Amino acid sequence: MTSTNAAPSTIEYAWHAHVTVPGEGPAFAHGTVAAPASFCWDRVTREVAAWLRSQGSTVQLADIHLILAPNAGKAV
């Protein structure tokens, strides 16, 4: 038997965060991310934080908010 309802390998999230940008001050950042389905909520939050920090922003994990967004990044 073959299932056509296979679980997706990734889950999409929309996120927003309050960050601090050096030389600019406080800012609001937002975006979308697709993460492996095996990642827990905390892991996705840490991945978003790591990306924001790699872009030069300062952010606390508590300032990142995730929203499940199954159609993120897709034209509807």
Side-chain angles (χ1 to χ4, degrees), residues 12-35:
E12 296 181 29
Y13 299 88
W15 59 267
H16 63 271
H18 294 277
V19 301
T20 301
V21 179
E24 299 290 327
F28 182 77
H30 62 91
T32 59
V33 62

Side-chain angles (χ1 to χ4, degrees), residues 15-16 22 25 28 34 47 59 62 64 74:
W15 59 267
H16 63 271
F28 182 77
E47 294 291 328
V59 64
I64 299 172
K74 296 182 179 133

Side-chain angles (χ1 to χ4, degrees), residues 7 10 45 49 65 69 76:
T10 60
T45 302
H65 305 280
V76 287

